[in-house]
Amino acid sequence: MIALKAAIEWANTANEEVNIWSDSESSLQALKSFNVKSKITQEAQRTLLENARIKLGWVKAHIGIKGNEIADTLAKEATTDGIPASLPFPKSFLKKQLLQHSLSRWQVEWDNGETGRSVYSIIPKISNKQLH
């Protein structure tokens, strides 16, 4: 998806119709979807909506198409040569980090608080899980 997004951004600067071919059927399907959570995909979709001169197409992988073979080689080099790519954190990761940070702060306040000490003696460890 990162490569497709880069190609779409490049094509957006051209003053002519551009056809982008990809062997990643899943990425092309994601670009057609209305329910996308990936920020990278959403940004690519926005560019495509703004520029009707950019066309996307699917090509079967590993069938000897010279451009496709070169793209595969470059992609493999990118993964082995360590070319940096900026990937935003997934929302699930950020939610988990925020939850852990919030629980940690809450625990500190609970440990050092002055109220609720009779309950603290029974439940010293905070949790967002329901007690029975």
Side-chain angles (χ1 to χ4, degrees):
M1 187 54 75
I2 292 172
L4 265 175
K5 181 178 178 272
I8 290 166
E9 288 172 352
W10 174 84
N12 195 38
T13 64
N15 290 326
E16 58 188 309
E17 189 168 299
V18 176
N19 294 316
I20 300 172
W21 296 92
S22 174
D23 63 4
S24 175
E25 194 170 9
S26 61
S27 293
L28 292 170
Q29 290 298 323
L31 287 168
K32 290 180 184 179
S33 176
F34 291 109
N35 188 20
V36 174
K37 294 185 177 159
S38 163
K39 187 171 184 160
I40 294 167
T41 306
Q42 290 173 350
E43 290 169 358
Q45 286 176 324
R46 244 181 258 118
T47 304
L48 288 169
L49 286 171
E50 293 167 0
N51 190 339
R53 293 186 317 252
I54 302 171
K55 308 290 184 209
L56 300 177
W58 177 75
V59 62
K60 187 175 179 182
H62 308 294
I63 58 167
I65 297 173
K66 187 176 179 182
N68 190 45
E69 298 300 327
I70 292 169
D72 284 345
T73 302
L74 291 172
K76 285 178 186 161
E77 284 178 21
T79 61
T80 57
D81 293 346
I83 296 170
S86 175
L87 294 174
F89 292 113
K91 193 186 295 186
S92 60
F93 172 80
L94 294 174
K95 284 174 70 174
K96 184 176 180 181
Q97 291 293 321
L98 284 171
L99 176 63
Q100 289 174 344
H101 181 70
S102 298
L103 291 174
S104 176
R105 285 185 62 185
W106 183 15
Q107 184 65 55
V108 168
E109 288 184 28
W110 184 232
D111 290 341
N112 301 321
E114 295 178 15
T115 59
R117 295 302 86 192
S118 60
V119 175
Y120 182 84
S121 63
I122 300 167
I123 309 172
K125 177 100 170 90
I126 61 97
S127 173
N128 63 339
K129 304 292 186 265
Q130 192 173 30
L131 290 175
H132 297 284

